[in-house]
Amino acid sequence: METHVRLEPWSAGDFWLLERKNEPAMTEFLGGPEPAAKLLDRQRRYEALSAREPAAGRMFRVVWTRPGDERDESVGSVGFWEREWRGEQVYEAGWGILPEFQGHGLAVAALTELLAHVRIHGSRDSVHAFPGTDHPASNAVCRRAGFEYLGDVDFEYPPGVPHPSCDWRYGVGRPRGPVTAVTPSG
């Protein structure tokens, strides 16, 4: 069975999701929860990013309708943004699915939808992700979404704090016709 999600642009009404993603279970591999002031700043940055031209990047709320259910549920977030990595202009991707929705293939489905968006709207040739070497679930998401493992790196997150991470790269390519997102099963 395929897992389908919908990506909704990040908005002012999504702050509650940012608060949920700041809980200890969600930040275990990201250096722990952020203080309230940093969350407010992150909310402003997410909204500003989503107000820029599409090639600059986007943050999205991930929406899922359970099979056999008519209700949409906001289950997490996924996004991409511009960065320079090893002298190349690339995108970086990040995601988080709330604990009660994990294990259904939603992170892979969301990342796959995000990559389809980047193929249409992006201007850079690759998307990188940098999950910690100690985070097998996020590394599995990269593998299942079609990223190529480039090796281990010391990646700063939070800024100024080197963290042993895996460098995953997805070659975007450019569509020749209509793009159809392929969503792997859960």
Side-chain angles (χ1 to χ4, degrees), residues 36-180:
K38 284 202 177 236
L39 273 189
L40 289 170
D41 181 56
R42 183 177 297 278
Q43 174 70 19
R44 283 190 287 276
R45 284 182 298 155
Y46 283 8
E47 288 180 49
L49 182 61
S50 290
R52 293 181 61 196
E53 68 279 357
R58 282 284 181 277
M59 285 305 299
F60 296 99
R61 178 172 41 89
V62 179
V63 180
W64 179 46
T65 303
R66 290 179 194 260
D69 192 344
E70 298 298 318
R71 293 176 297 133
D72 287 344
E73 297 189 72
S74 295
V75 299
S77 67
V78 65
F80 73 105
W81 49 92
E82 299 169 315
R83 74 164 299 124
E84 182 178 318
W85 178 245
R86 297 188 167 169
E88 182 184 357
Q89 297 300 313
V90 302
Y91 290 120
E92 181 181 345
W95 60 89
I97 301 296
L98 298 174
E100 63 269 28
F101 298 106
Q102 294 175 6
H104 298 283
L106 299 172
V108 174
L111 189 53
T112 301
E113 288 294 322
L114 180 80
L115 295 171
H117 178 88
V118 172
R119 281 193 300 275
I120 294 168
H121 300 287
S123 60
R124 297 176 181 213
D125 292 330
S126 63
V127 179
H128 286 253
F130 301 97
T133 57
D134 58 348
H135 198 330
S138 282
N139 283 291
V141 167
C142 289
R143 187 174 43 259
R144 289 182 61 209
F147 281 68
E148 174 189 10
Y149 173 69
L150 299 180
D152 291 357
V153 295
D154 274 336
F155 187 77
E156 287 190 14
Y157 195 87
V161 179
H163 184 75
S165 301
C166 297
D167 183 3
W168 291 90
R169 179 186 180 277
Y170 182 89
V172 175
R174 294 289 163 242
R176 296 187 181 158
V179 174
T180 303

